[in-house]
Amino acid sequence: MKQYVLSCAKTIPRTDRKLAVFLNGWLMEHLDSDLVERFHQTGDNPFSIYIDEQPTMANMVFNALDAEMETIFDELLLNPNLQKFEFVSATQKEFVILNRTVRILTEKDLSRQFYQGGAEGWYDLKIISPITFKSQGYYQFMPDVRLFFQSLMRKYNQAIEKSEQIDIDLLDEICKKTQVVSYRLRTQRYFIHSGFVTGFLGNLTFRCHGSQTLKDYLGAMLSFGEFSGVGAKTSLGMGAIKLKNQKEENNGKAKS
């Protein structure tokens, strides 16, 4: 898996809330039409995107979850001819690229974290873009332990195991042994085309009081979640998280 961060200059204090949706549209225009059609037909999105907005910068973040998307993003995003993003409908229509960073997380990294991690069982998360879950036909926007880790497990199995099945017994054990112990969250409407989805964002802390194996498993899943996103609409910019208390060597390697 690879994470591509393209840092761009801002010319206005605050960008559009739909900027990540515009970024998704830009990406679809630059992908092969057969690939885009496959995404639409299967619902399989082996990538996620989001905007990490800073005071003077807007970081356009693309995450490739399989080898095919890595190759595509390498050719598209690391091409020196790509100098800026242009969005016709955005308030700031041009974002000049100032810097590019690639971060890599391999299955070997995750396995090492799982088998040798020594996680303490406290997981402090920054939720960068709103999280929402699709459950029983409705969008849910509460920090529910089951929905949170069920989403991560499904995304991991789809990306790595190429399966949609998850271990329900393991999920039940996670729910028994893991709690939300602290949060500072707010809801936010996330506008998509002519409608919106409500999600939550801010800061959230999980605590696991289960076995060391379970603690290390959750640490590995949350590291994966920095690439996959959590919940629904991650290919449109929702569900971006950052694990604040994770050691860098266990959480992907950065390359400039």
Side-chain angles (χ1 to χ4, degrees):
M1 292 167 284
K2 287 186 180 180
Q3 182 176 87
Y4 306 76
V5 182
L6 281 68
S7 299
C8 303
K10 283 170 53 178
T11 60
I12 57 176
R14 188 73 182 171
T15 63
D16 303 79
R17 285 191 181 179
K18 292 180 68 173
L19 187 59
V21 178
F22 298 149
L23 186 63
N24 173 273
W26 177 91
L27 178 60
M28 293 302 104
E29 291 176 357
H30 287 78
L31 295 181
D32 183 84
S33 59
D34 290 339
L35 183 64
V36 173
E37 182 63 24
R38 191 180 84 196
F39 292 160
H40 288 160
Q41 288 184 350
T42 65
D44 177 29
N45 287 310
F47 69 92
S48 69
I49 64 170
Y50 65 91
I51 307 294
D52 183 11
E53 186 167 350
Q54 303 298 323
T56 62
M57 305 280 286
N59 295 318
M60 313 292 184
V61 183
F62 300 78
N63 296 298
L65 304 181
D66 64 17
E68 180 183 24
M69 289 309 301
E70 286 182 14
T71 299
I72 292 169
F73 282 173
D74 280 350
E75 294 176 355
L76 175 62
L77 303 175
L78 303 183
N79 187 332
N81 293 325
L82 178 64
Q83 296 293 318
K84 62 185 178 180
F85 295 98
E86 296 181 278
F87 307 113
V88 173
S89 301
T91 304
Q92 179 178 330
K93 300 188 182 305
E94 291 188 355
F95 289 81
V96 176
I97 300 169
L98 303 178
N99 186 49
R100 304 171 210 240
T101 302
V102 177
R103 181 170 157 228
I104 299 172
L105 183 70
T106 67
E107 291 181 53
K108 185 177 180 180
D109 293 329
L110 289 173
S111 294
R112 183 172 62 250
Q113 185 173 343
F114 175 62
Y115 289 109
Q116 304 175 8
E120 295 180 359
W122 292 83
Y123 313 95
D124 294 321
L125 300 178
K126 179 180 180 182
I127 301 168
I128 299 170
S129 63
I131 292 177
T132 193
F133 305 102
K134 191 72 174 288
S135 177
Q136 299 179 344
Y138 296 93
Y139 287 110
Q140 313 255 357
F141 51 91
M142 295 293 289
D144 181 271
V145 172
R146 175 172 288 274
L147 293 177
F148 196 100
F149 287 102
Q150 177 179 271
S151 171
L152 280 178
M153 292 168 71
R154 281 180 174 166
K155 290 178 185 297
Y156 178 85
N157 281 6
Q158 288 171 352
I160 306 299
E161 307 293 343
K162 306 304 179 185
S163 169
E164 301 211 354
Q165 300 299 318
I166 64 171
D167 187 334
I168 297 299
D169 291 337
L170 176 56
L171 180 59
D172 288 341
E173 182 69 10
I174 291 171
C175 294
K176 289 177 184 177
K177 301 294 186 180
T178 307
Q179 300 171 309
V180 175
V181 294
S182 176
Y183 60 85
R184 180 174 291 179
L185 301 172
R186 67 184 187 277
T187 58
Q188 185 178 98
R189 288 180 174 179
Y190 193 85
F191 292 90
I192 301 174
H193 307 306
S194 59
F196 67 86
V197 177
T198 301
F200 64 89
L201 74 166
N203 296 287
L204 174 65
T205 300
F206 290 111
R207 184 189 179 191
C208 176
H209 50 87
S211 66
Q212 187 61 54
T213 298
L214 188 63
K215 293 175 182 177
D216 292 337
Y217 175 78
L218 294 189
M221 284 294 99
L222 290 167
S223 293
F224 169 77
E226 292 190 333
F227 288 71
S228 69
V230 179
K233 309 294 185 183
T234 53
S235 65
L236 288 168
M238 295 190 75
I241 66 169
K242 182 174 179 59
L243 187 55
K244 296 193 291 183
N245 61 349
Q246 193 76 341
K247 293 181 179 180
E248 178 67 24
E249 60 266 26
N250 286 336
N251 205 22
K253 302 178 182 66
K255 292 187 177 181
S256 57

